[in-house]
Amino acid sequence: MLENIYNRLEEIFPEIVELRRDFHMYPELSHEEEKTPEKIAEYLKGLGIDVQTGVGGRGVIGILKGGKPGRTIALRADFDGLPIEEENDIDYKSRVPGVMHACGHDVHTASLLSVAKVLSEVREEVPGTVVFVHQFAEEATPGGAQSMIEDGCLDGVDVIYGAHVMSTEVFGTCTVREGYFSSAQDDFYIKIYGKGGHGSEPHNTVDPLVTGSQLVVNLQQIVSRRVNPQSAAAVTVGSFHSGKATNVIPDTAVIKGTVRTYDQEAMEIIEQSMRQIVKSTCEAAGAEVDFDYVKDCPSIWNDPEETEKVRKNAVTVFGKDAVHTEEPMHGSEDFAFYQQVVPGVYFTVGGGNPEIDAVYPHHHPKFKVDERAMLHIGKMFAQLVFSDN
């Protein structure tokens, strides 16, 4: 059966490429997706699959009930674009100014639709039930995963699998890792209220810029001195704005940044330390402060038992030497929210290929991947559906 499915995926590959390129030409930003979910729903309905739209807001779910007993397996793809002006010189370049699929979500969506098409053709042989989860707003905070879960996208689901194409990994390879596979992401927003004045009279002011500068330095001591060296973590200030003129001490300073951790203990230590340091640094300078710490996304944690299943199936699809176990990703992914409800595994598929200039990192205006990676994603998903039950 799987050999026939593989062959069918190869047969429809030109159709899936065309579908992916259509998504690529008309990307939509997070929480603004309208045409994309409509296209997805229309395609799934054409396959005779039960479809739910508006899930959690803009999500789409397809449900395929197989003809044989088995578990209920969810397969997830995301479909939002990024606020980036594409610089690739290709026929299917983004037609939307300032918006681009620069992270492969168009690839994920088309890959999952290819699996839906092939499985719908052999539904009597499909074990259990397959839930095709098409998620909106993966790139946003908050992302679409939480609201889709709250709206019931995982009701009755036993396990969920997700795949991400990677331009930084060689085409024809797959990375599968047990346990932590991505960092958690928290964000922080600090506004310091000082007392402005003339630049020649700093003694009559409470300088929020100097206070903020000291605070930035103090925050860097958290990871180096308070977090266990065996726990990877990062506290990054990405934005610092204060003042406009050379001879004016401003009233306020605004600092924004992100925190990346893997384990819960490190996350709690960093948050508590930040609250203490922000408060004490500003108090010592005589400044007031507003501090907002936002928990954005937890770490992806791949279930050990399910990971072993994915690894065995990856060896079947890619070959033993092409299946790797790399260090966890430093980026965050809201697939992690699904894993807090049901066991799940997130894995990556290589899409990098220097021969077609697919060498740029994700979120780059020249991001590109080898489209044949869609076949690998499709085969992996199909393999998991049939071998998992």
Side-chain angles (χ1 to χ4, degrees):
M1 175 57 66
L2 280 170
E3 183 177 353
N4 292 336
I5 289 176
Y6 281 11
N7 291 336
R8 185 62 179 138
L9 286 170
E10 297 275 359
E11 289 175 2
I12 68 170
F13 183 62
E15 173 190 335
I16 299 306
V17 168
E18 183 178 350
L19 191 62
R20 178 256 165 168
R21 293 185 177 184
D22 180 71
F23 289 132
H24 190 89
M25 287 189 290
Y26 303 102
E28 296 179 300
L29 294 175
S30 305
H31 297 294
E32 297 180 13
E33 306 96 332
E34 294 182 0
K35 296 297 183 182
T36 304
E38 288 178 2
K39 293 175 182 177
I40 293 170
E42 182 180 356
Y43 190 89
L44 291 173
K45 289 176 182 177
L47 302 177
I49 291 175
D50 293 335
V51 176
Q52 299 175 17
T53 59
V55 181
R58 299 177 185 269
V60 179
I61 293 178
I63 301 175
L64 177 67
K65 295 184 178 180
K68 295 187 176 181
R71 297 199 297 172
T72 297
I73 299 173
L75 307 173
R76 179 266 202 168
D78 38 19
F79 58 71
D80 53 327
L82 287 159
I84 296 173
E85 185 72 34
E86 182 164 12
E87 296 179 4
N88 286 313
D89 184 16
I90 51 178
D91 293 339
Y92 54 95
K93 182 177 180 179
S94 173
R95 304 303 200 253
V96 183
V99 185
M100 176 191 176
H101 272 297
C103 200
H105 295 187
D106 51 342
V107 169
H108 304 161
T109 300
S111 299
L112 190 54
L113 291 177
S114 74
V115 178
K117 182 179 180 71
V118 173
L119 294 185
S120 71
E121 295 172 349
V122 294
R123 67 185 69 204
E124 292 305 317
E125 300 299 321
V126 172
T129 298
V130 183
V131 180
F132 304 98
V133 179
H134 289 273
Q135 182 196 315
F136 66 103
E138 186 278 327
E139 298 286 0
T141 302
Q146 286 176 286
S147 59
M148 290 189 69
I149 293 169
E150 292 169 0
D151 207 8
C153 76
L154 292 182
D155 290 355
V157 169
D158 296 302
V159 63
I160 185 168
Y161 301 112
H164 202 306
V165 65
M166 300 296 292
S167 64
T168 54
E169 297 177 11
V170 178
F171 170 75
T173 62
C174 180
T175 296
V176 184
R177 181 182 178 85
E178 174 186 319
Y180 291 117
F181 193 64
S182 75
S183 67
Q185 176 184 342
D186 295 339
D187 297 321
F188 59 87
Y189 304 85
I190 304 169
K191 189 168 185 179
I192 301 170
Y193 300 91
K195 178 184 177 183
H198 199 284
S200 65
E201 299 180 344
H203 59 291
N204 291 324
T205 71
V206 176
D207 193 333
L209 201 158
V210 172
T211 304
S213 298
Q214 185 62 54
L215 180 56
V216 170
V217 173
N218 291 347
L219 292 177
Q220 301 312 306
Q221 299 175 24
I222 296 175
V223 173
S224 65
R225 289 297 176 268
R226 302 196 184 192
V227 176
N228 188 325
Q230 294 181 332
S231 297
V235 175
T236 298
V237 172
S239 175
F240 187 164
H241 291 278
S242 184
K244 296 180 179 179
T246 60
N247 62 346
V248 178
I249 293 176
D251 290 315
T252 61
V254 177
I255 298 172
K256 303 176 184 179
T258 189
V259 175
R260 302 301 169 105
T261 55
Y262 292 98
D263 60 86
Q264 186 68 28
E265 181 181 3
M267 181 187 297
E268 292 175 356
I269 288 173
I270 290 174
E271 181 183 357
Q272 293 170 4
S273 298
M274 287 191 71
R275 293 188 182 280
Q276 177 191 15
I277 290 172
V278 169
K279 183 175 184 291
S280 61
T281 301
C282 292
E283 282 184 349
E288 301 291 330
V289 64
D290 288 336
F291 179 56
D292 191 13
Y293 191 93
V294 179
K295 294 184 179 297
D296 180 13
C297 184
S299 301
I300 286 178
W301 193 85
N302 287 335
D303 180 84
E305 182 177 345
E306 296 296 339
T307 299
E308 186 58 29
K309 293 179 183 178
V310 172
R311 182 176 288 108
K312 289 180 179 179
N313 284 289
V315 169
T316 300
V317 174
F318 293 88
K320 183 177 180 180
D321 294 338
V323 179
H324 304 146
T325 302
E326 303 290 348
E327 292 301 310
M329 300 187 299
H330 295 299
S332 64
E333 231 286 356
D334 69 354
F335 185 84
F337 286 110
Y338 299 112
Q339 294 173 307
Q340 293 186 330
V341 181
V342 298
V345 179
Y346 195 72
F347 58 93
T348 60
V349 172
N353 185 350
E355 294 182 3
I356 61 171
D357 205 29
V359 296
Y360 294 94
H362 293 244
H363 296 209
H364 189 282
K366 289 188 177 182
F367 172 83
K368 188 189 298 184
V369 295
D370 192 320
E371 291 177 310
R372 293 176 298 169
M374 292 191 291
L375 284 172
H376 287 149
I377 294 175
K379 290 177 180 179
M380 277 295 296
F381 279 158
Q383 186 83 22
L384 287 166
V385 168
F386 276 88
S387 63
D388 188 73
N389 288 277

